[in-house]
């Protein structure tokens, strides 16, 4: 048994969810894939997969082995990417996870320019506002917005993210324009589900103590929805300017409480700490660093 081939077969079966699909991806017969997995289980002395006629499920041992095997295969790929011409020319599939609204509004031109500079790199871009696990979910780079806490991952700040409190002129005309935080009482608040509030900042502290109880407002996990709701007069929203900037410039939204504007967050490129960093990851992080400007073009 070639242990690497068996490991690769097992990881592919898990990612594809079926032996036949794994066989197609690996360009080998389903019988050989099954043989590799069985030999691997025999070598390890544990069952890695529970098989039924319709589905496969990881055992506890299988889940643990899958995580480590995936990392080993990634490390081997990274090591090979440092050899020969791959050291200067990035190649391979780059898996990226990034926030939905930011991708839709700002990333397509950047990705196009990146691929023109690095034609050997393919891109698998997944849009997600939740915090994905870089290693466990197999991403090369994750773009995150916030104040990042220390971790074993590498986080490179690539742009500042300014947050602005805003509402439509019509809403403010009908309901009054808050001048101080206490004036927010009684207003409808449009709340982003994934926002991380920092109690050291006055506006965030007010939202923690008061904004959570506003049942007349709107809560959504998408910033564009909240912006459109604010434009239509549904209430007051705290939005990143990479979303609200155009509406503010066009007069559809008005910025209020500027003296209470929270400290800017950051847009970070997050990736796993490895001694040998794949050229495709290094080239992407270097390319995106400074691409949007500081201050960024949307501000």
């Amino acid at each position: 048994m070639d242990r690497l081939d068996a490991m690769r077969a097992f990881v592919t079966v898990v990612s594809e969810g079926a032996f036949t699909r794994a066989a197609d991806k690996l360009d080998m017969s389903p019988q050989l894939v099954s043989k590799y997995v069985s030999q691997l289980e025999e070598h390890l002395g544990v069952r890695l997969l529970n098989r039924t006629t319709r589905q496969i499920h990881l055992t506890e041992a299988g889940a643990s082995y899958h995580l480590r095997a995936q990392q080993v295969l990634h490390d081997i790929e990274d090591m090979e990417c440092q050899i020969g011409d791959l050291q200067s020319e990035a190649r391979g599939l780059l898996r990226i996870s990034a926030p939905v609204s930011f991708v839709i509004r700002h990333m397509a031109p950047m990705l196009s320019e990146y691929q023109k500079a690095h034609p050997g790199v393919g891109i698998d871009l997944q849009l997600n506002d939740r915090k994905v696990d870089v290693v466990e979910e197999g991403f090369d780079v994750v773009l995150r917005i916030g104040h990042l806490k220390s971790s074993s991952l590498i986080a490179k700040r690539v742009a500042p993210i300014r947050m602005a409190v805003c509402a439509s002129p019509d809403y403010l005309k009908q309901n009054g324009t808050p001048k101080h935080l206490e004036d927010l009482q009684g207003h409808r608040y449009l709340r982003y589900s994934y926002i991380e509030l920092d109690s050291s900042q006055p506006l965030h502290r007010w939202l923690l103590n008061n904004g959570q109880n506003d049942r007349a407002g709107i809560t959504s996990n998408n910033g564009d929805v909240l912006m459109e709701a604010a434009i239509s007069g549904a209430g007051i929203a705290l939005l990143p300017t990479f979303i609200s900037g155009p509406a503010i410039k066009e007069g559809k939204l008005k910025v209020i409480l500027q003296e209470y504007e929270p400290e800017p967050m950051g847009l970070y490129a997050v990736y796993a700490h490895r001694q040998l960093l794949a050229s495709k990851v290094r080239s992407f992080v270097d390319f995106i660093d400074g691409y949007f400007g500081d201050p960024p073009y949307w501000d």
Side-chain angles (χ1 to χ4, degrees):
M1 176 188 69
D2 185 301
R3 199 176 301 175
L4 282 178
D5 284 343
M7 191 181 296
R8 191 171 288 109
F10 168 69
V11 168
T12 307
V13 167
V14 174
S15 63
E16 295 297 314
F19 282 86
T20 52
R21 290 197 292 272
D24 289 340
K25 188 166 186 177
L26 294 169
D27 195 24
M28 60 177 67
S29 69
Q31 292 79 11
L32 183 56
V33 173
S34 179
K35 180 180 177 182
Y36 272 137
V37 174
S38 296
Q39 288 178 338
L40 185 61
E41 290 177 321
E42 186 177 345
H43 171 75
L44 295 171
V46 295
R47 180 174 289 279
L48 300 174
L49 295 171
N50 287 322
R51 308 160 175 82
T52 68
T53 55
R54 293 181 177 273
Q55 291 180 316
I56 59 168
H57 299 281
L58 282 167
T59 63
E60 183 179 357
S64 177
Y65 185 80
H66 174 258
L67 184 62
R68 298 297 296 273
Q70 196 175 43
Q71 184 66 57
V72 168
L73 293 174
H74 282 162
D75 286 344
I76 291 173
E77 181 185 356
D78 290 351
M79 177 180 64
E80 292 176 345
C81 284
Q82 303 300 310
I83 298 172
D85 62 350
L86 288 185
Q87 197 164 15
S88 57
E89 183 180 346
R91 294 182 186 174
L93 181 65
L94 183 68
R95 297 197 69 228
I96 304 169
S97 173
V100 177
S101 294
F102 188 83
V103 171
I104 293 171
R105 289 174 169 271
H106 302 288
M107 279 193 67
M110 186 275 291
L111 292 175
S112 177
E113 291 180 34
Y114 169 76
Q115 286 196 301
K116 287 176 183 176
H118 302 282
V121 179
I123 292 174
D124 178 3
L125 176 63
Q126 302 294 317
L127 279 62
N128 209 316
D129 285 338
R130 68 176 176 84
K131 284 188 176 179
V132 303
D133 188 306
V134 179
V135 176
E136 188 171 347
E137 298 185 48
F139 288 106
D140 297 300
V141 182
V142 171
L143 297 185
R144 285 183 181 162
I145 294 171
H147 298 286
L148 296 193
K149 300 174 183 176
S150 59
S151 73
S152 60
L153 301 172
I154 305 298
K156 186 176 183 66
R157 187 176 183 271
V158 296
I161 301 295
R162 178 187 160 215
M163 303 292 290
V165 185
C166 51
S168 72
D170 284 345
Y171 175 87
L172 296 174
K173 184 178 180 180
Q174 293 175 15
N175 298 277
T177 300
K179 304 293 185 183
H180 306 282
L181 292 180
E182 53 269 25
D183 298 338
L184 289 170
Q185 200 71 45
H187 282 272
R188 293 193 301 275
Y189 178 51
L190 311 180
R191 184 182 303 105
Y192 179 60
S193 306
Y194 296 135
I195 191 169
E196 295 183 355
L197 297 174
D198 178 3
S199 60
S200 67
Q201 302 199 49
L203 175 60
H204 285 189
R205 187 163 57 249
W206 188 92
L207 292 173
L208 278 169
N209 295 332
N210 302 276
Q212 310 297 321
N213 301 319
D214 176 19
R215 297 186 178 181
I218 296 175
T219 299
S220 175
N221 63 355
N222 182 267
D224 277 284
V225 170
L226 296 175
M227 183 191 68
E228 293 298 335
I231 290 173
S232 68
I236 295 173
L238 176 63
L239 293 170
T241 54
F242 71 77
I243 294 177
S244 60
I248 292 170
K249 290 175 182 176
E250 294 168 11
K252 296 178 181 178
L253 290 176
K254 182 178 179 181
V255 177
I256 60 173
L257 299 172
Q258 285 183 275
E259 62 271 33
Y260 298 101
E261 188 173 296
E263 287 293 318
M265 298 186 293
L267 171 67
Y268 293 88
V270 180
Y271 51 96
H273 177 70
R274 294 175 187 160
Q275 286 185 316
L276 296 175
L277 186 63
S279 295
K280 62 184 180 181
V281 177
R282 184 186 299 107
S283 65
F284 179 78
V285 173
D286 289 345
F287 190 89
I288 196 175
D289 183 23
Y291 178 88
F292 302 109
D294 189 357
Y297 65 79
W298 52 79
D299 283 340

